[in-house]
């Protein structure tokens, strides 16, 4: 059992913890046998708030003296000497509690069986144990690490370890029927073990976030002596979590804040995500956080929908490290995009996107690759622009000038042709007029009268 003052801390009933979960199952006025009360933090509450009669077993003498002032009786001894059994064998208890005690015992099953015999027919054993299969421990093992700590999952005084299955098997071997299962939760990175979900190379953090029961820090069970004493069974364990969620933030003109947002859990990791929202009229801009982690995303559409009419929103800003049309790469754990509308009000918006989650290191490497490709394309485009300028300068412009000169020459030749055509038309008119004059003359009386004279003239020409 516990034997150090490191377990001397205040009772916290404002948050979910193993003690608050246990206390929540204990009825007012009950008779309780409490193993390992330490300084009596729970003992005092049971006595003063719930009017319970509490009997104690504590290995640490100094802590036991503090707890004794709230108990009916106390045995200060190692629980596995069973001196407590001799003291309390004639008392029957409504509840027997083991708050983080079983992991300190050499043979917890033997003690559970002995304690069970002191229960009332409808009595309950309430226990809590740390979860050895917590993500923090698994991550450490995959990195070839297993270091004990002062308190917590790998407390340096633990000599027994439990997972959910091993705890269930323990209950079965002790003839105990689990009526209720509770748990406390703590993600890797928030415990006393210095690891995070990104601490194992080659395993994406999404695996740890969705690993069944991987974030269970402690199991808290209520067990009965037999099935006939179980009126209802309840299982409050969350087998797994949905690690990804989408968030939409509203800017009413004073910037974005955590108070003005909507969050949607993403339960399906493949396929197109389809999300629709009604946006308050006063909103000036919306910030879309498509995922709570680094990712590659394809934005299918984000638009206003009104009477079957779709109007695309305008992207004002994104912290994507790479963007190509509708493809985005985010290396940050908080990807976001800010959109505005030209319609005055957003109304009802529809968002469709597809994402691929991948750890930030890989995303960064991919982003750097795409960035290098982008730079190469930019350089190539620059060279093509320079080549285009050279072509225009050295080939196109001279050809253009020569073409203009040929155009001018053709224009002048066309003008000359038109002038010649006009002169010919004028000559044709004059010839016509001359022909008409000749016809008039040849048909006149004087022309006929002078015909003999013209003939004599012709003869003289031949002589």
């Amino acid at each position: 059992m516990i034997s150090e003052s490191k377990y001397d801390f205040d009772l916290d009933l404002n948050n979910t913890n193993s003690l608050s979960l246990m206390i929540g199952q204990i009825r007012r006025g009950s008779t309780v046998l409490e193993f390992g009360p330490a300084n009596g933090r729970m003992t005092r509450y049971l006595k003063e708030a719930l009017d319970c009669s509490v009997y104690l077993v504590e290995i640490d003498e100094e802590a036991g003296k503090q707890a004794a002032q709230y108990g009916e009786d106390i045995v200060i001894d190692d629980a596995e000497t069973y001196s407590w059994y001799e003291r309390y064998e004639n008392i029957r208890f409504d509840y027997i509690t083991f708050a983080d005690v079983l992991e300190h015992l050499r043979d917890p099953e033997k003690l559970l069986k002995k304690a069970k015999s002191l229960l009332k027919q409808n009595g309950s054993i309430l226990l809590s144990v740390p979860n050895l299969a917590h993500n923090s421990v698994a991550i450490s093992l995959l990195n070839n690490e297993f270091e004990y700590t002062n308190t917590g999952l790998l407390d340096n005084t633990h000599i027994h370890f439990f997972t959910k299955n091993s705890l269930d098997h323990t209950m079965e071997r002790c003839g105990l029927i689990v009526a209720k299962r509770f748990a406390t939760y703590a993600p890797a990175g928030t415990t006393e073990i210095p690891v995070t979900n990104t601490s194992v190379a080659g395993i994406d953090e999404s695996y740890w976030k969705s690993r069944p029961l991987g974030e269970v820090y402690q199991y808290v069970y209520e067990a009965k002596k037999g099935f006939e004493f179980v009126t209802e069974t309840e299982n409050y364990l969350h087998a797994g979590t949905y690690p990804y969620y989408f968030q939409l933030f509203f800017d009413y003109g004073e910037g974005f804040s955590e108070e003005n947002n909507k969050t949607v859990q993403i339960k399906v990791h493949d396929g197109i995500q389809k999300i629709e929202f009604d946006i308050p009229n006063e909103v000036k801009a919306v910030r879309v956080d498509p995922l709570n982690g680094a990712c590659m995303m394809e934005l299918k559409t984000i638009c206003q929908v009104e009477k079957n009419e779709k109007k695309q929103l305008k992207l004002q800003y994104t912290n994507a490290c790479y963007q190509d049309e509708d493809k985005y790469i985010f290396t940050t754990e908080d990807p976001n995009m800010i959109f505005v509308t030209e319609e005055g009000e957003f109304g009802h918006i529809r968002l469709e996107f597809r994402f691929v989650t991948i750890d930030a290191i890989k995303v960064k490497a991919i982003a750097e690759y795409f960035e290098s490709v982008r730079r190469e394309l930019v350089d190539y485009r620059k060279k093509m622009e320079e080549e285009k300028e050279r072509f225009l300068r050295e080939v196109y412009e001279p050809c253009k000038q020569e073409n203009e000169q040929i155009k001018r020459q053709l224009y002048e030749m066309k003008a000359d042709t038109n002038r010649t055509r006009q002169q010919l038309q004028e000559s044709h008119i004059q010839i016509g007029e001359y022909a008409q004059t000749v016809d008039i003359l040849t048909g006149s009386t004087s022309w006929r009268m002078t015909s003999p004279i013209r003939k004599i003239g012709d003869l003289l020409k031949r002589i």
Side-chain angles (χ1 to χ4, degrees):
M1 281 186 49
I2 44 185
S3 60
E4 297 181 42
S5 59
K6 63 184 178 181
Y7 304 108
D8 184 357
F9 52 84
D10 293 333
L11 180 65
D12 178 11
L13 295 179
N14 295 318
N15 298 291
T16 300
N17 55 68
S18 58
L19 293 184
S20 66
L21 289 170
M22 281 189 181
I23 289 172
Q25 309 312 307
I26 297 176
R27 296 186 301 273
R28 176 179 294 275
S30 296
T31 302
V32 181
L33 174 56
E34 182 182 3
F35 284 84
N39 66 327
R41 56 193 183 278
M42 183 168 74
T43 316
R44 180 177 181 179
Y45 184 87
L46 293 176
K47 177 181 176 61
E48 296 181 353
L50 295 182
D51 194 27
C52 292
S53 299
V54 188
Y55 296 79
L56 308 170
V57 180
E58 173 57 51
I59 192 173
D60 185 278
E61 186 174 357
E62 291 301 317
K65 288 179 181 179
Q66 295 181 51
Q69 59 186 313
Y70 309 113
E72 301 297 320
D73 194 3
I74 186 169
V75 173
I76 298 179
D77 197 358
D78 183 341
E80 292 187 284
T81 66
Y82 295 96
S83 57
W84 57 270
Y85 186 81
E86 296 176 5
R87 178 82 64 88
Y88 301 141
E89 64 178 333
N90 294 320
I91 304 173
R92 292 299 175 263
F93 298 95
D94 296 296
Y95 299 94
I96 299 177
T97 67
F98 298 91
D100 294 337
V101 170
L102 300 182
E103 62 270 21
H104 298 272
L105 304 179
R106 293 180 294 275
D107 190 352
E109 291 185 21
K110 179 180 177 181
L111 191 140
L112 282 170
K113 291 174 182 177
K114 203 75 171 174
K116 184 179 72 168
S117 67
L118 298 185
L119 279 177
K120 292 180 180 179
Q121 285 294 85
N122 194 35
S124 298
I125 286 180
L126 295 169
L127 62 91
S128 65
V129 295
N131 176 28
L132 184 65
H134 189 275
N135 283 341
S136 296
V137 179
I139 290 170
S140 296
L141 290 173
L142 287 173
N143 286 323
N144 297 311
E145 299 287 347
F146 187 91
E147 295 292 333
Y148 283 98
T149 53
N150 190 45
T151 58
L153 295 168
L154 299 179
D155 185 307
N156 52 22
T157 60
H158 290 180
I159 56 177
H160 244 88
F161 297 96
F162 297 92
T163 65
K164 177 185 178 297
N165 289 347
S166 67
L167 181 58
D168 286 346
H169 295 156
T170 297
M171 296 294 100
E172 292 172 7
R173 288 190 293 268
C174 292
L176 292 167
I177 307 302
V178 180
K180 296 180 182 179
R181 291 180 173 86
F182 302 90
T184 64
Y185 298 86
T190 65
T191 73
E192 66 286 345
I193 300 176
V195 297
T196 67
N197 288 332
T198 61
S199 296
V200 182
I203 299 182
D204 185 70
E205 61 180 314
S206 63
Y207 167 77
W208 299 110
K209 289 179 179 179
S210 59
R211 178 173 171 257
L213 304 177
E215 294 188 348
V216 171
Y217 191 77
Q218 292 166 295
Y219 290 106
V220 181
Y221 279 16
E222 179 179 2
K224 298 283 189 176
K225 295 170 66 173
F227 284 107
E228 64 273 25
F229 305 113
V230 178
T231 56
E232 58 180 356
T233 58
E234 298 180 64
N235 187 353
Y236 296 96
L237 300 182
H238 305 303
T241 60
Y242 300 118
Y244 297 117
Y245 54 83
F246 162 94
Q247 283 186 296
L248 189 70
F249 293 85
F250 304 141
D251 178 8
Y252 288 90
E254 300 179 353
F256 299 101
S257 67
E258 293 292 333
E259 290 76 22
N260 300 316
N261 81 88
K262 293 185 178 181
T263 301
V264 176
Q265 293 287 343
I266 297 177
K267 300 181 180 181
V268 181
H269 296 170
D270 54 357
I272 296 176
Q273 308 297 321
K274 297 181 180 180
I275 301 172
E276 297 191 21
F277 284 107
D278 288 316
I279 308 300
N281 295 337
E282 301 80 9
V283 171
K284 308 299 182 184
V286 296
R287 192 185 93 194
V288 173
D289 291 11
L291 204 69
N292 55 314
C295 67
M296 294 186 289
M297 187 190 78
E298 178 184 8
L299 181 61
K300 293 290 186 180
T301 185
I302 178 166
C303 61
Q304 294 172 266
V305 181
E306 184 178 354
K307 296 179 180 178
N308 296 324
E309 227 179 286
K310 298 178 183 178
K311 296 181 181 178
Q312 293 296 318
L313 299 183
K314 181 181 178 182
L315 177 65
Q316 187 180 66
Y317 166 81
T318 179
N319 62 355
C321 66
Y322 177 81
Q323 177 187 355
D324 181 18
E325 296 182 352
D326 61 346
K327 309 296 191 301
Y328 299 82
I329 297 180
F330 298 94
T331 56
T332 174
E333 294 296 309
D334 185 28
N336 60 71
M337 312 164 78
I338 297 176
F339 293 91
V340 295
T341 177
E342 298 176 351
E343 301 299 317
E345 296 180 354
F346 285 92
H348 185 82
I349 68 169
R350 178 181 298 160
L351 173 67
E352 296 181 8
F353 66 96
R354 186 199 310 271
F355 73 88
V356 176
T357 176
I358 193 166
D359 66 64
I361 296 175
K362 291 179 181 177
V363 170
K364 186 175 181 181
I366 293 171
E368 289 174 350
Y369 167 74
F370 277 108
E371 179 61 22
S372 67
V373 172
R374 187 191 68 81
R375 285 196 298 267
E376 289 179 5
L377 289 173
V378 169
D379 292 342
Y380 178 74
R381 184 177 297 171
K382 184 178 179 181
K383 289 180 182 178
M384 292 300 295
E385 288 293 332
E386 292 174 352
E387 185 64 24
K388 177 183 176 182
E389 291 294 328
R390 187 195 65 79
F391 175 80
L392 291 174
R393 184 177 61 255
E394 299 179 5
V395 179
Y396 178 75
E397 288 299 332
C399 289
K400 183 179 178 183
Q401 293 174 6
E402 186 177 349
N403 186 50
E404 291 295 328
Q405 185 177 355
I406 292 172
K407 282 183 179 181
R408 286 194 298 271
Q409 291 175 349
L410 289 173
Y411 179 79
E412 292 173 358
M413 291 174 65
K414 183 177 181 181
D416 290 343
T417 301
N418 289 336
R419 283 194 297 270
T420 302
R421 184 181 290 114
Q422 186 176 0
Q423 290 174 355
L424 287 172
Q425 289 176 348
E426 292 174 353
S427 297
H428 288 156
I429 293 172
Q430 289 178 354
I431 291 170
E433 291 175 351
Y434 292 151
Q436 187 177 7
T437 301
V438 170
D439 289 341
I440 293 171
L441 289 174
T442 54
S444 65
T445 304
S446 59
W447 179 267
R448 290 194 300 271
M449 290 178 63
T450 57
S451 176
I453 298 173
R454 289 197 299 278
K455 290 179 179 180
I456 294 171
D458 290 338
L459 290 172
L460 289 175
K461 288 177 183 179
R462 285 197 289 270
I463 297 173

